[in-house]
Amino acid sequence: MTKPIEVRNPRTGKFDYVIIPPPPRLVVQQCKRTRRAQVRWQELGLEGRIEALQQWKQAILFGRDRLIEALVNDTGRLSTSVLEIDSFLSSIDRWCRLAPELLQESAKNTAIPFIALQQTSVPYPLVGVISPWNFPLLLSTIDTIPALLAGCAVIVKPSEITPRFVAPLMTALNTVPKLHDVLTFVEGAGATGSTLIENVDLVCFTGSVATGRKVAQAAAKQFIPAFLELGGKDPAIVLESANLELATSAILWGSVINTGQSCLSIERIYVADSIFEKFYHQLVAKAHRLQLAYPTVESGEIGPIIAEKQAAIISDHLLDAVEKGAVIHCGGVIEDLGGGWWCRPTVLTQVNHSMKVMTEETFGPIMPVMPFSTVEEAVSLANDSIYGLSAAVFASETEALEIAHQIDAGAISINDAGLTAIMHEGEKNAFKFSGMGGSRMGAAALKRFMRKKAILIKTNATNDPWWFENGE
């Protein structure tokens, strides 16, 4: 029998929820059942799949309050949980609207007069999704929805740190039998994920670089594709031509949204010498206005640190920075309030790349600000990282675009931060250790779940084969 996993409440610190991971044999059986059901799901056709997903959406809306409650218990924050649910529901509508055009098959003539080409695709039968704790619902479904519309069956292994949201999702799912057969959630930790990878045809993973490496190796052993969205250390560059009011507000938002627990968070800030002091003073003033969401979830904007281990990492990064000469202007302390771990928005100066806070993923509301003297230096500092997920540039549009083309990252926001969180049309790939595989944005996000087939048709069947005619 597998050992139960106790789940901690991030607001109270109490272990008030338990999940029991299924033994490996049951995971294998679930994969086999779901794989068998995929055949009927594919035969249902796109219209039938869209109808099933829309029915699920309506059932979720009916139980929306319960889902909000579960997400708040998982993460300790309210407004971001509501936003997460709304984003998830809108993604169902978006993909249902886009899928008919993206999944169209085509037939055309080729460069060889007597050969026609029919281009078609077939879905990977069973997709495994392994998702993280920072946005439990959204990152469990960001790959799941397009995969289902493509005709795949999907099994999701959410993080054992934030599993409460699964129950209300499954309650809604049980009202849609056609979808229930091809979408399920298995709860557990790393061992459950490992078993899942061994029994699927494609795996999508969102999480740390360390675990992502293990997933990639396990997928390679099974000879299946792996789409990995891993860590980030996103830079922001602020030039003298930037609108400082805009830049400070956008960077603050980009750094502290979800308490900085996002792979798209701004984690290091490079500011032109001439405006450095003015910039960080404005940033500090705005950071002071933000309040902790304590003692109630409505008390402020900054929620608790969700994963207990992350509190130790943030504390270690701050201690390392101070020991090496950094100056903290606000925040800077991990607080124990009501049993939960909290960190107020923290601005640091006198930082450099010998510090962990400038080189390792912090995943907290931490804003280290460093001056630069030339644009070349700013670009060099931004690219001095093992990560390359996204970045932001604040400057006149001409200058910003010139810099954006030089940054080694998959998405660059100009005069804003984290725009890929709200704009899903631009395809992007992670650079360096921030991931690998097809884009989860744009048309490619759906098409990557399809295997392409080329059917070549000889249109004049009375002729001899071309190789015979040429004397081969």
Side-chain angles (χ1 to χ4, degrees), residues 132-219:
W133 50 260
N134 56 324
F135 289 96
L137 171 64
L138 191 61
L139 294 179
S140 289
T141 55
I142 191 170
D143 299 307
T144 298
I145 302 305
L148 287 167
L149 284 168
C152 311
V154 181
I155 296 181
V156 181
K157 204 293 285 182
S159 171
E160 68 277 17
I161 295 173
T162 51
R164 298 172 183 84
F165 77 99
V166 172
L169 272 192
M170 290 301 296
T171 298
L173 194 58
N174 289 337
T175 67
V176 190
K178 290 178 181 177
L179 185 57
H180 176 265
D181 291 340
V182 291
L183 171 61
T184 193
F185 292 74
V186 292
E187 296 177 326
T192 303
S194 296
T195 304
L196 184 63
I197 294 170
E198 293 171 0
N199 291 276
V200 297
D201 304 300
L202 180 154
V203 62
C204 297
F205 171 81
T206 307
S208 69
V209 172
T211 306
R213 283 175 177 268
K214 295 177 182 177
V215 171
Q217 291 166 357

Coordinates of all heavy atoms in Angstrom, one line a residue, residues 132-219:
P132 N 2.6 21.9 -11.9 CA 3.2 22.4 -10.6 C 2.2 23.0 -9.7 O 1.0 23.0 -9.9 CB 4.2 23.5 -11.2 CG 3.4 24.1 -12.3 CD 2.6 22.9 -12.9
W133 N 2.7 23.6 -8.6 CA 1.9 24.1 -7.5 C 1.6 25.5 -7.6 O 0.7 26.0 -6.9 CB 2.5 23.8 -6.1 CG 4.0 24.2 -6.0 CD1 5.0 23.4 -6.1 CD2 4.5 25.5 -5.7 NE1 6.2 24.1 -5.9 CE2 5.9 25.4 -5.7 CE3 3.9 26.7 -5.5 CZ2 6.7 26.5 -5.4 CZ3 4.7 27.8 -5.2 CH2 6.1 27.7 -5.2
N134 N 2.2 26.3 -8.4 CA 2.1 27.8 -8.3 C 0.8 28.3 -8.9 O 0.1 29.2 -8.4 CB 3.3 28.5 -8.9 CG 3.6 28.1 -10.3 OD1 3.4 26.9 -10.7 ND2 4.0 29.0 -11.2
F135 N 0.3 27.7 -10.0 CA -1.0 27.9 -10.6 C -1.6 26.5 -10.8 O -1.6 26.0 -12.0 CB -0.9 28.7 -11.9 CG -0.5 30.1 -11.8 CD1 0.8 30.5 -11.9 CD2 -1.4 31.1 -11.5 CE1 1.2 31.9 -11.8 CE2 -1.1 32.5 -11.3 CZ 0.3 32.8 -11.5
P136 N -2.1 25.9 -9.8 CA -2.5 24.5 -9.9 C -3.5 24.2 -11.0 O -3.4 23.2 -11.7 CB -3.1 24.2 -8.5 CG -2.6 25.3 -7.6 CD -2.4 26.5 -8.5
L137 N -4.6 25.0 -11.1 CA -5.6 24.7 -12.1 C -5.1 25.1 -13.5 O -5.2 24.3 -14.4 CB -6.9 25.5 -11.7 CG -8.0 25.6 -12.8 CD1 -8.5 24.2 -13.0 CD2 -9.1 26.5 -12.4
L138 N -4.6 26.3 -13.7 CA -4.3 26.8 -15.0 C -3.2 25.9 -15.6 O -3.3 25.6 -16.8 CB -3.8 28.2 -14.9 CG -3.7 29.0 -16.2 CD1 -5.0 29.1 -17.0 CD2 -3.1 30.4 -16.0
L139 N -2.2 25.6 -14.9 CA -1.1 24.8 -15.5 C -1.4 23.3 -15.5 O -0.6 22.6 -16.2 CB 0.2 25.1 -14.7 CG 0.7 26.5 -14.8 CD1 2.0 26.8 -14.0 CD2 0.9 26.9 -16.3
S140 N -2.5 22.9 -14.9 CA -2.9 21.5 -15.1 C -3.7 21.4 -16.4 O -3.9 20.3 -17.0 CB -3.8 21.0 -14.0 OG -3.0 20.8 -12.8
T141 N -4.2 22.5 -16.9 CA -5.2 22.4 -18.0 C -4.6 23.2 -19.3 O -5.2 23.0 -20.4 CB -6.5 23.1 -17.6 OG1 -6.3 24.4 -17.1 CG2 -7.2 22.2 -16.6
I142 N -3.5 23.9 -19.2 CA -3.0 24.7 -20.3 C -2.6 23.8 -21.5 O -2.8 24.2 -22.6 CB -1.9 25.6 -19.9 CG1 -1.5 26.6 -21.0 CG2 -0.6 24.8 -19.5 CD1 -0.6 27.7 -20.5
D143 N -2.1 22.6 -21.2 CA -1.8 21.6 -22.2 C -3.0 20.7 -22.5 O -3.2 20.1 -23.6 CB -0.6 20.9 -21.9 CG 0.6 21.7 -21.7 OD1 0.9 22.5 -22.6 OD2 1.3 21.7 -20.7
T144 N -3.8 20.5 -21.4 CA -4.9 19.5 -21.5 C -5.9 19.8 -22.5 O -6.4 18.9 -23.2 CB -5.5 19.3 -20.1 OG1 -4.5 18.8 -19.2 CG2 -6.6 18.3 -20.1
I145 N -6.4 21.1 -22.5 CA -7.5 21.5 -23.3 C -7.2 21.3 -24.8 O -7.9 20.6 -25.6 CB -8.0 22.9 -23.0 CG1 -8.4 23.1 -21.6 CG2 -9.1 23.3 -24.0 CD1 -9.4 22.1 -21.1
P146 N -6.0 21.8 -25.3 CA -5.7 21.6 -26.7 C -5.5 20.1 -27.1 O -5.8 19.7 -28.2 CB -4.5 22.5 -27.0 CG -3.9 22.8 -25.6 CD -5.1 22.8 -24.7
A147 N -4.9 19.4 -26.1 CA -4.7 18.0 -26.4 C -6.0 17.2 -26.6 O -6.2 16.4 -27.5 CB -3.9 17.4 -25.3
L148 N -7.0 17.5 -25.7 CA -8.3 16.9 -25.8 C -9.0 17.2 -27.2 O -9.5 16.4 -27.8 CB -9.2 17.3 -24.7 CG -8.9 16.7 -23.3 CD1 -9.6 17.5 -22.2 CD2 -9.2 15.2 -23.3
L149 N -8.9 18.5 -27.6 CA -9.5 18.9 -28.8 C -8.8 18.2 -30.0 O -9.5 17.9 -31.0 CB -9.5 20.4 -29.0 CG -10.5 21.1 -28.1 CD1 -10.3 22.6 -28.0 CD2 -11.9 20.9 -28.6
A150 N -7.5 18.0 -29.9 CA -6.8 17.3 -31.0 C -7.2 15.9 -31.1 O -7.0 15.2 -32.1 CB -5.3 17.4 -30.7
G151 N -7.9 15.3 -30.1 CA -8.3 13.9 -30.1 C -7.6 13.0 -29.2 O -7.8 11.8 -29.2
C152 N -6.7 13.6 -28.4 CA -5.9 12.8 -27.4 C -6.8 12.5 -26.2 O -7.7 13.2 -25.8 CB -4.7 13.5 -27.0 SG -3.6 14.2 -28.3
A153 N -6.4 11.4 -25.5 CA -6.9 11.2 -24.1 C -5.8 11.8 -23.2 O -4.6 11.8 -23.6 CB -7.1 9.8 -23.8
V154 N -6.1 12.3 -22.0 CA -5.2 12.9 -21.1 C -5.3 12.4 -19.7 O -6.4 12.3 -19.2 CB -5.4 14.5 -21.1 CG1 -4.3 15.2 -20.3 CG2 -5.3 15.0 -22.6
I155 N -4.2 12.2 -19.1 CA -4.1 11.9 -17.6 C -3.2 13.0 -17.0 O -2.1 13.2 -17.4 CB -3.6 10.5 -17.3 CG1 -4.5 9.4 -17.9 CG2 -3.4 10.3 -15.8 CD1 -4.1 8.0 -17.6
V156 N -3.7 13.7 -16.0 CA -3.0 14.8 -15.3 C -2.5 14.3 -13.9 O -3.3 13.8 -13.2 CB -3.9 16.0 -15.2 CG1 -3.1 17.2 -14.5 CG2 -4.5 16.4 -16.5
K157 N -1.2 14.6 -13.7 CA -0.7 14.4 -12.3 C -0.4 15.7 -11.7 O 0.7 16.3 -12.0 CB 0.6 13.5 -12.4 CG 0.9 12.7 -11.1 CD 1.3 13.6 -9.9 CE 2.7 14.2 -10.0 NZ 3.0 15.0 -8.8
P158 N -1.3 16.3 -10.9 CA -1.0 17.6 -10.3 C 0.0 17.5 -9.2 O 0.3 16.5 -8.7 CB -2.4 18.1 -9.8 CG -3.1 16.8 -9.5 CD -2.6 15.8 -10.5
S159 N 0.5 18.7 -8.8 CA 1.4 18.7 -7.7 C 0.8 18.2 -6.4 O -0.4 18.5 -6.1 CB 1.9 20.1 -7.4 OG 2.7 20.2 -6.2
E160 N 1.5 17.4 -5.6 CA 1.0 17.0 -4.3 C 1.0 18.1 -3.3 O 0.4 17.9 -2.2 CB 1.9 15.8 -3.8 CG 3.3 16.2 -3.4 CD 4.3 16.3 -4.6 OE1 3.9 16.4 -5.8 OE2 5.5 16.3 -4.4
I161 N 1.5 19.3 -3.6 CA 1.5 20.4 -2.7 C 0.1 21.1 -2.8 O -0.4 21.7 -1.8 CB 2.6 21.4 -3.0 CG1 4.0 20.7 -2.7 CG2 2.5 22.7 -2.2 CD1 5.2 21.5 -3.1
T162 N -0.5 21.1 -4.0 CA -1.8 21.8 -4.2 C -2.8 20.9 -4.9 O -3.2 21.1 -6.0 CB -1.6 23.1 -5.0 OG1 -0.8 22.7 -6.2 CG2 -0.8 24.1 -4.2
P163 N -3.3 19.8 -4.2 CA -4.2 18.9 -4.9 C -5.7 19.1 -4.7 O -6.5 18.4 -5.3 CB -3.8 17.5 -4.3 CG -3.4 17.9 -2.9 CD -2.9 19.3 -2.9
R164 N -6.1 20.0 -3.8 CA -7.5 20.1 -3.4 C -8.4 20.5 -4.6 O -9.6 20.1 -4.5 CB -7.6 21.2 -2.3 CG -6.8 20.9 -1.0 CD -6.9 22.1 -0.1 NE -6.1 21.9 1.1 CZ -4.8 22.1 1.3 NH1 -4.1 22.5 0.2 NH2 -4.2 21.9 2.4
F165 N -7.9 21.2 -5.6 CA -8.7 21.7 -6.7 C -9.3 20.5 -7.5 O -10.2 20.7 -8.3 CB -8.0 22.7 -7.5 CG -7.0 22.0 -8.5 CD1 -7.3 21.8 -9.8 CD2 -5.7 21.6 -8.0 CE1 -6.4 21.2 -10.7 CE2 -4.8 21.0 -8.9 CZ -5.2 20.8 -10.2
V166 N -8.6 19.4 -7.4 CA -9.0 18.2 -8.3 C -10.4 17.7 -8.0 O -11.2 17.4 -8.9 CB -8.0 17.1 -8.1 CG1 -8.4 15.8 -8.9 CG2 -6.6 17.5 -8.6
A167 N -10.8 17.7 -6.7 CA -12.1 17.1 -6.4 C -13.3 17.9 -7.1 O -14.1 17.2 -7.7 CB -12.3 17.1 -4.9
P168 N -13.3 19.2 -7.0 CA -14.4 19.9 -7.7 C -14.4 19.8 -9.2 O -15.4 19.7 -9.9 CB -14.3 21.4 -7.2 CG -12.9 21.5 -6.7 CD -12.6 20.2 -6.1
L169 N -13.1 19.7 -9.7 CA -13.0 19.5 -11.2 C -13.6 18.1 -11.6 O -14.3 18.0 -12.6 CB -11.6 19.5 -11.6 CG -11.0 20.9 -12.0 CD1 -9.6 20.7 -12.7 CD2 -11.9 21.7 -12.9
M170 N -13.3 17.1 -10.8 CA -13.8 15.7 -11.1 C -15.3 15.6 -10.9 O -16.0 14.9 -11.6 CB -13.1 14.7 -10.2 CG -11.6 14.5 -10.5 SD -11.3 13.9 -12.2 CE -12.2 12.3 -12.2
T171 N -15.8 16.4 -9.9 CA -17.3 16.4 -9.7 C -18.0 16.9 -11.0 O -19.0 16.3 -11.4 CB -17.6 17.3 -8.5 OG1 -17.1 16.7 -7.3 CG2 -19.1 17.3 -8.3
A172 N -17.4 18.0 -11.5 CA -18.0 18.5 -12.8 C -17.8 17.5 -13.9 O -18.6 17.3 -14.8 CB -17.3 19.9 -13.1
L173 N -16.6 16.9 -13.9 CA -16.3 16.0 -15.0 C -17.2 14.8 -15.1 O -17.5 14.2 -16.1 CB -14.8 15.6 -14.9 CG -14.1 14.9 -16.1 CD1 -14.1 15.8 -17.3 CD2 -12.7 14.5 -15.7
N174 N -17.6 14.3 -13.9 CA -18.5 13.2 -13.8 C -19.8 13.4 -14.4 O -20.5 12.4 -14.7 CB -18.6 12.7 -12.3 CG -17.4 12.1 -11.7 OD1 -16.5 11.6 -12.5 ND2 -17.3 12.2 -10.4
T175 N -20.2 14.6 -14.7 CA -21.5 14.9 -15.4 C -21.4 14.8 -16.9 O -22.4 15.0 -17.6 CB -22.0 16.3 -15.0 OG1 -21.1 17.3 -15.5 CG2 -22.1 16.5 -13.5
V176 N -20.2 14.6 -17.4 CA -19.9 14.5 -18.9 C -19.3 13.2 -19.2 O -18.0 13.1 -19.3 CB -19.0 15.7 -19.3 CG1 -19.0 15.8 -20.9 CG2 -19.5 17.0 -18.8
P177 N -20.0 12.1 -19.3 CA -19.5 10.8 -19.5 C -18.5 10.6 -20.6 O -17.4 10.0 -20.5 CB -20.7 9.9 -19.7 CG -21.8 10.6 -19.1 CD -21.5 12.1 -19.3
K178 N -18.7 11.3 -21.7 CA -17.8 11.1 -22.9 C -16.5 11.7 -22.6 O -15.5 11.2 -23.0 CB -18.4 11.8 -24.1 CG -19.7 11.2 -24.7 CD -20.2 11.9 -25.9 CE -21.5 11.2 -26.4 NZ -22.1 12.0 -27.5
L179 N -16.4 12.8 -21.8 CA -15.1 13.4 -21.4 C -14.5 12.7 -20.2 O -13.3 12.5 -20.2 CB -15.4 14.9 -21.1 CG -14.1 15.7 -20.9 CD1 -13.1 15.6 -22.0 CD2 -14.5 17.2 -20.6
H180 N -15.3 12.2 -19.3 CA -14.8 11.5 -18.1 C -14.0 10.3 -18.5 O -13.0 10.0 -17.8 CB -16.0 11.1 -17.3 CG -15.6 10.3 -16.0 ND1 -15.6 9.0 -16.0 CD2 -15.2 10.7 -14.8 CE1 -15.2 8.5 -14.8 NE2 -15.0 9.6 -14.1
D181 N -14.3 9.7 -19.6 CA -13.6 8.5 -20.0 C -12.2 8.7 -20.5 O -11.3 7.9 -20.5 CB -14.4 7.7 -21.1 CG -15.7 7.1 -20.6 OD1 -15.8 6.9 -19.4 OD2 -16.6 6.8 -21.4
V182 N -11.9 10.0 -21.0 CA -10.6 10.3 -21.6 C -9.9 11.4 -20.9 O -8.8 11.8 -21.3 CB -10.8 10.7 -23.1 CG1 -11.3 9.5 -23.9 CG2 -11.8 11.9 -23.2
L183 N -10.4 11.8 -19.7 CA -9.7 12.8 -18.9 C -9.8 12.4 -17.5 O -10.9 12.3 -16.9 CB -10.2 14.2 -19.1 CG -9.7 15.3 -18.2 CD1 -8.2 15.5 -18.3 CD2 -10.4 16.6 -18.4
T184 N -8.6 12.2 -16.8 CA -8.7 11.9 -15.4 C -7.4 12.5 -14.7 O -6.5 12.9 -15.4 CB -8.7 10.4 -15.2 OG1 -9.1 10.1 -13.8 CG2 -7.4 9.7 -15.5
F185 N -7.5 12.5 -13.4 CA -6.4 13.1 -12.6 C -5.9 12.0 -11.7 O -6.7 11.3 -11.0 CB -6.9 14.3 -11.8 CG -7.2 15.5 -12.6 CD1 -8.4 15.5 -13.4 CD2 -6.4 16.6 -12.6 CE1 -8.7 16.6 -14.1 CE2 -6.7 17.7 -13.4 CZ -7.8 17.7 -14.1
V186 N -4.6 11.8 -11.6 CA -4.0 10.9 -10.6 C -3.2 11.7 -9.6 O -2.4 12.5 -10.0 CB -3.2 9.8 -11.3 CG1 -4.1 8.9 -12.1 CG2 -2.1 10.4 -12.1
E187 N -3.4 11.4 -8.3 CA -2.7 12.2 -7.3 C -1.5 11.4 -6.8 O -1.5 10.2 -6.7 CB -3.7 12.5 -6.1 CG -4.9 13.4 -6.5 CD -5.9 13.6 -5.4 OE1 -6.0 12.6 -4.6 OE2 -6.4 14.6 -5.3
G188 N -0.5 12.2 -6.5 CA 0.7 11.5 -6.0 C 1.9 12.4 -6.1 O 1.8 13.6 -6.6
A189 N 3.1 11.9 -5.8 CA 4.3 12.7 -5.9 C 5.2 12.2 -7.1 O 4.6 11.7 -8.1 CB 5.1 12.5 -4.6
G190 N 6.5 12.2 -6.9 CA 7.4 11.9 -8.1 C 7.2 10.5 -8.6 O 7.3 10.2 -9.8
A191 N 7.0 9.5 -7.7 CA 6.9 8.1 -8.1 C 5.7 7.9 -9.0 O 5.7 7.2 -10.0 CB 6.8 7.2 -6.9
T192 N 4.6 8.6 -8.7 CA 3.4 8.5 -9.6 C 3.7 9.1 -10.9 O 3.3 8.6 -12.0 CB 2.2 9.2 -8.9 OG1 2.0 8.7 -7.6 CG2 0.9 9.1 -9.7
G193 N 4.4 10.2 -11.0 CA 4.7 10.8 -12.2 C 5.6 9.9 -13.1 O 5.5 9.9 -14.3
S194 N 6.6 9.3 -12.4 CA 7.5 8.4 -13.1 C 6.7 7.2 -13.8 O 6.9 6.9 -14.9 CB 8.5 7.8 -12.2 OG 9.3 8.8 -11.7
T195 N 5.7 6.7 -13.1 CA 4.9 5.6 -13.6 C 4.1 6.1 -14.8 O 3.9 5.4 -15.8 CB 4.0 5.0 -12.5 OG1 4.8 4.6 -11.4 CG2 3.2 3.8 -13.1
L196 N 3.6 7.3 -14.7 CA 2.8 7.9 -15.7 C 3.6 8.0 -17.0 O 3.1 7.6 -18.1 CB 2.2 9.2 -15.3 CG 1.3 9.9 -16.3 CD1 0.0 9.2 -16.5 CD2 1.0 11.3 -15.7
I197 N 4.8 8.5 -16.9 CA 5.7 8.7 -18.1 C 5.9 7.4 -18.8 O 6.0 7.3 -20.0 CB 7.0 9.4 -17.7 CG1 6.7 10.8 -17.2 CG2 8.0 9.4 -18.9 CD1 7.9 11.5 -16.5
E198 N 6.0 6.3 -18.0 CA 6.3 5.0 -18.6 C 5.1 4.4 -19.4 O 5.3 3.4 -20.1 CB 6.7 4.0 -17.5 CG 8.0 4.3 -16.8 CD 8.3 3.5 -15.6 OE1 7.4 2.7 -15.3 OE2 9.3 3.7 -15.0
N199 N 3.9 5.1 -19.3 CA 2.7 4.5 -19.9 C 2.0 5.4 -20.8 O 0.8 5.1 -21.1 CB 1.8 4.0 -18.8 CG 2.4 2.8 -18.0 OD1 2.3 1.6 -18.5 ND2 3.1 3.0 -16.9
V200 N 2.6 6.6 -21.2 CA 1.9 7.5 -22.1 C 2.7 7.6 -23.4 O 3.8 7.1 -23.5 CB 1.7 8.9 -21.4 CG1 0.8 8.8 -20.2 CG2 3.0 9.5 -21.1
D201 N 2.1 8.3 -24.3 CA 2.7 8.5 -25.6 C 3.4 9.8 -25.8 O 4.2 10.0 -26.8 CB 1.7 8.3 -26.7 CG 1.0 7.0 -26.6 OD1 1.6 6.0 -26.7 OD2 -0.3 7.0 -26.4
L202 N 3.2 10.8 -24.9 CA 3.7 12.1 -24.9 C 3.6 12.7 -23.5 O 2.5 12.4 -22.9 CB 3.0 13.0 -26.0 CG 3.4 14.4 -26.2 CD1 3.0 14.8 -27.6 CD2 2.8 15.4 -25.2
V203 N 4.6 13.4 -23.1 CA 4.5 14.0 -21.7 C 4.7 15.5 -21.8 O 5.5 16.0 -22.5 CB 5.4 13.4 -20.7 CG1 6.9 13.6 -21.2 CG2 5.2 13.9 -19.3
C204 N 3.8 16.3 -21.0 CA 4.0 17.7 -20.9 C 4.3 17.9 -19.4 O 3.6 17.5 -18.5 CB 2.7 18.5 -21.2 SG 2.2 18.3 -22.9
F205 N 5.4 18.7 -19.1 CA 5.8 18.9 -17.8 C 6.1 20.4 -17.6 O 6.7 21.0 -18.4 CB 7.1 18.1 -17.4 CG 7.7 18.5 -16.1 CD1 7.2 17.9 -14.9 CD2 8.8 19.4 -16.0 CE1 7.8 18.3 -13.7 CE2 9.3 19.8 -14.8 CZ 8.8 19.2 -13.6
T206 N 5.6 20.9 -16.4 CA 5.9 22.3 -16.0 C 6.5 22.2 -14.6 O 5.8 21.6 -13.7 CB 4.6 23.2 -16.0 OG1 4.0 23.1 -17.3 CG2 5.0 24.6 -15.7
G207 N 7.6 22.8 -14.4 CA 8.3 22.7 -13.1 C 9.7 23.1 -13.1 O 10.1 23.9 -14.0
S208 N 10.5 22.6 -12.2 CA 11.9 23.0 -12.0 C 12.8 22.4 -13.1 O 12.4 21.4 -13.7 CB 12.3 22.6 -10.6 OG 12.5 21.2 -10.5
V209 N 13.9 23.0 -13.2 CA 14.9 22.5 -14.1 C 15.4 21.1 -13.7 O 15.5 20.1 -14.5 CB 16.1 23.4 -14.3 CG1 17.3 22.8 -15.1 CG2 15.7 24.7 -14.9
A210 N 15.6 20.9 -12.4 CA 16.1 19.7 -11.8 C 15.2 18.5 -12.2 O 15.6 17.5 -12.6 CB 16.3 19.8 -10.3
T211 N 13.9 18.7 -11.9 CA 12.9 17.7 -12.2 C 12.7 17.5 -13.7 O 12.5 16.4 -14.2 CB 11.5 18.0 -11.5 OG1 11.8 18.2 -10.1 CG2 10.6 16.8 -11.6
G212 N 12.7 18.7 -14.4 CA 12.6 18.6 -15.8 C 13.6 17.8 -16.5 O 13.3 17.0 -17.5
R213 N 14.8 17.8 -16.0 CA 15.9 16.9 -16.5 C 15.5 15.5 -16.4 O 15.7 14.6 -17.3 CB 17.2 17.2 -15.8 CG 18.0 18.4 -16.2 CD 19.2 18.6 -15.3 NE 20.0 19.7 -15.7 CZ 21.1 19.7 -16.5 NH1 21.4 18.6 -17.1 NH2 21.8 20.8 -16.7
K214 N 15.0 15.1 -15.2 CA 14.6 13.7 -14.9 C 13.4 13.3 -15.9 O 13.4 12.2 -16.4 CB 14.2 13.6 -13.5 CG 15.3 13.8 -12.5 CD 14.8 13.7 -11.0 CE 15.9 14.0 -10.0 NZ 15.4 13.9 -8.6
V215 N 12.5 14.2 -16.1 CA 11.4 13.9 -17.0 C 11.9 13.7 -18.4 O 11.5 12.7 -19.1 CB 10.4 15.1 -17.0 CG1 9.3 14.9 -18.1 CG2 9.7 15.1 -15.6
A216 N 12.8 14.6 -18.9 CA 13.4 14.4 -20.2 C 14.1 13.1 -20.4 O 14.0 12.4 -21.4 CB 14.3 15.6 -20.5
Q217 N 14.9 12.7 -19.4 CA 15.6 11.4 -19.4 C 14.6 10.2 -19.4 O 14.8 9.3 -20.2 CB 16.5 11.3 -18.2 CG 17.7 12.3 -18.3 CD 18.5 12.5 -17.0 OE1 18.1 11.9 -16.0 NE2 19.5 13.3 -17.0
A218 N 13.6 10.3 -18.6 CA 12.6 9.2 -18.6 C 11.8 9.1 -19.9 O 11.6 8.0 -20.4 CB 11.6 9.4 -17.4
A219 N 11.5 10.3 -20.5 CA 10.8 10.3 -21.8 C 11.7 9.7 -22.9 O 11.2 9.0 -23.7 CB 10.3 11.7 -22.1

